[in-house]
Amino acid sequence: MVAMNQMTDVAHANMFAFDNSYARLPERFHARLHPTPVADPKLIRINEPLARELGIDPARLASAEGVAVLAGNRVPQGAEPLAMAYAGHQFGNWVPQLGDGRAVLLGEVKGFDIQLKGSGPTPFSRNGDGRAALGPVLREFIVGEAMAALGVPTTRTLAAVTTGERVLRQDGPLPGAVLTRVSKSHVRVGTFEYFGNRGDVEAVKTLADYVIARLYPDVDSYRALLETVIERTAQLVARWQLLGFIHGVMNTDNVSIAGETIDYGPCAFMDRYDPATVFSSIDRGGRYAYGNQPRIAHWNLVRFAQALLPLLGENEQAALASAQEAINAYPGRFEAAYFAGLCLKVGFAQKREGDLELIGELFRHMADGRADFTLTFRHLSDGHDEKLRALFDNAAALDVWLGKWRARLAEETVSPQERAAAMRRVNPLFIPRNHRVEAVIVAAQARGDYAPFDELRAVLAKPFDDQPAFARYADPPQAGEEVTETFCGT
């Protein structure tokens, strides 16, 4: 009966003004299919501000009709649902076919993809169930929206629903959920690899032309496309590093051509600063540790350049030279973005010789002193010396550094008030602390209680404000509260 309703109700669900440019690409780019209906969908939350930005009525989206669409039980009018084909390097190992194994792209609204994640198996599922558990859905909702509030390019969450079904994971049967994801595009480095490694030059060209037309209309060549993606990726990863964010699974199929953070799985923010920090339960070798992320991004971009090679020159030698020149620019672009951000974090209005060494010295003290990453920079912004010193096991070494730092600040004419305000704009007080996210998930899974979810989301919507009533959300985990391992959703 549910499947019949899915077809019967298509005409009644006209709540999205869809365009479907990806569906107009050749058949080998995707597999057309409907989401798999669920037993008893119930709304968790609608992201009302985002819905309004997309011209979608939040009230209608929250109605029974809307919830059926968000769960995959109804296909909205104008949608052309499909699963995208792609490949990828996973932990450095080539996998020739991946694709959307648990997601269905409904279509595009105002130039943004609308995708259901956890909507059932597809031809790319590789024996997976195609479903999502409630915990990973809430984690993506929380962290993705927090990243948006922090000013980091990211996919967004439009809504989340429970399914009334259980999914089997390593922790046993868990409540199921579906997340509605919004992105500028779901094209990945792995999408280009899928065709490039098959020698399908026509498809690589078609895909490149599509990306240019949709995302980068000012780009006038394939070399410029490569350079643009390199620049966007360098800027993105620099922002991750500046906030202590760890993606967790930087496989090439999780790298967006649009320069957005995508595929929030075992992601987390660092508490104590340590470049070797890893949260992902499957990253046993630390390939995607915090300190490795810039290098891995470079490695992934090389894979993108390889897929584009047939388009980059009249012959193989010319194409290789062009690609190498573009790729060689990545380290400098990343370092420029990262260093500029570091200067803002420590209050330097102008860059001067010796600044990088002075900032590096602070990071060494943070590592040696086991200091909290986020609060170190926030207390530095606020001039809270005692709070700052309390974060460090080696406060005496920090005091020496503070003297050097203040001498450096004295070389500039910026007033203390202006400097503090500028630093507070880039140094958040609130991040989605891993122990807080886990507490939200436990409350939702064990008791169906979403009040902690709502409160955490509200706090994280204003990450740079003091919010005295919610000061506890800024605190690092206490002994026994640490969450050191996170998991993928499959």
Side-chain angles (χ1 to χ4, degrees), residues 251-280:
N251 297 328
T252 58
D253 55 293
N254 296 335
V255 178
S256 167
I257 296 299
E260 293 181 324
T261 313
I262 193 172
D263 292 334
Y264 292 96
C267 59
F269 282 74
M270 272 197 303
D271 295 308
R272 294 189 183 97
Y273 173 70
D274 180 354
T277 301
V278 173
F279 285 94
S280 171

Side-chain angles (χ1 to χ4, degrees), residues 58-354:
R60 190 172 181 196
L61 204 57
S63 69
E65 172 194 26
V67 171
V69 169
L70 297 172
N73 285 20
R74 293 182 178 181
V75 176
Q77 184 177 343
E80 297 182 59
L82 59 86
M84 297 172 66
Y86 49 84
H89 280 85
Q90 299 195 320
F91 289 88
N93 300 308
W94 172 241
V95 183
Q97 180 167 298
L98 294 167
D100 289 330
R102 59 186 180 123
V104 170
L105 176 66
L106 295 179
E108 300 140 33
V109 174
K110 290 192 172 182
F112 289 87
D113 285 356
I114 307 294
Q115 183 196 70
L116 301 183
K117 187 174 179 181
S119 55
T122 78
F124 306 113
S125 293
R126 296 190 300 165
N127 299 318
D129 61 11
R131 292 303 189 185
L134 177 59
V137 164
L138 295 181
R139 177 179 290 277
E140 179 157 351
F141 201 144
I142 292 166
V143 179
E145 290 306 300
M147 292 284 270
L150 289 164
V152 181
T154 179
T155 57
R156 305 284 302 277
T157 295
L158 177 62
V161 299
T162 55
T163 64
E165 301 174 351
R166 311 291 281 187
V167 297
L168 187 61
R169 297 293 184 263
Q170 63 187 35
D171 294 333
L174 300 170
V178 178
L179 180 133
T180 304
R181 183 161 69 181
V182 175
S183 174
K184 288 182 180 178
S185 171
H186 284 85
V187 175
R188 309 142 187 277
V189 167
T191 318
F192 280 87
E193 287 186 292
Y194 179 78
F195 298 109
N197 280 270
R198 293 173 179 227
D200 191 343
V201 177
E202 179 186 22
V204 173
K205 183 179 185 302
T206 297
L207 185 61
D209 290 341
Y210 172 82
V211 168
I212 290 170
R214 182 171 171 191
L215 297 177
Y216 306 120
D218 295 333
V219 164
D220 59 3
S221 69
Y222 301 120
R223 164 67 182 267
L225 171 62
L226 174 59
E227 291 174 338
T228 299
V229 174
I230 289 171
E231 175 65 24
R232 293 291 181 95
T233 304
Q235 292 282 343
L236 177 66
V237 177
R239 292 182 183 186
W240 292 357
Q241 301 302 106
L242 292 166
L243 291 167
F245 173 75
I246 301 166
H247 182 277
V249 193
M250 289 178 66
N251 297 328
T252 58
D253 55 293
N254 296 335
V255 178
S256 167
I257 296 299
E260 293 181 324
T261 313
I262 193 172
D263 292 334
Y264 292 96
C267 59
F269 282 74
M270 272 197 303
D271 295 308
R272 294 189 183 97
Y273 173 70
D274 180 354
T277 301
V278 173
F279 285 94
S280 171
S281 64
I282 60 175
D283 191 4
R284 299 300 182 188
R287 176 181 173 87
Y288 299 139
Y290 169 79
N292 288 342
Q293 291 183 141
R295 177 181 62 81
I296 291 296
H298 193 187
W299 192 93
N300 290 339
L301 288 167
V302 171
R303 311 285 84 76
F304 178 49
Q306 288 175 333
L308 284 180
L309 277 178
L311 311 182
L312 296 178
E314 295 181 358
N315 55 58
E316 183 178 356
Q317 185 176 359
L320 283 169
S322 179
Q324 191 66 59
E325 184 179 35
I327 285 294
N328 286 348
Y330 167 83
R333 293 187 177 197
F334 168 78
E335 289 166 9
Y338 182 54
F339 184 34
L342 286 175
C343 286
L344 292 175
K345 286 179 79 69
V346 299
F348 296 163
Q350 300 97 26
K351 301 174 189 175
R352 300 196 178 187
E353 187 176 353

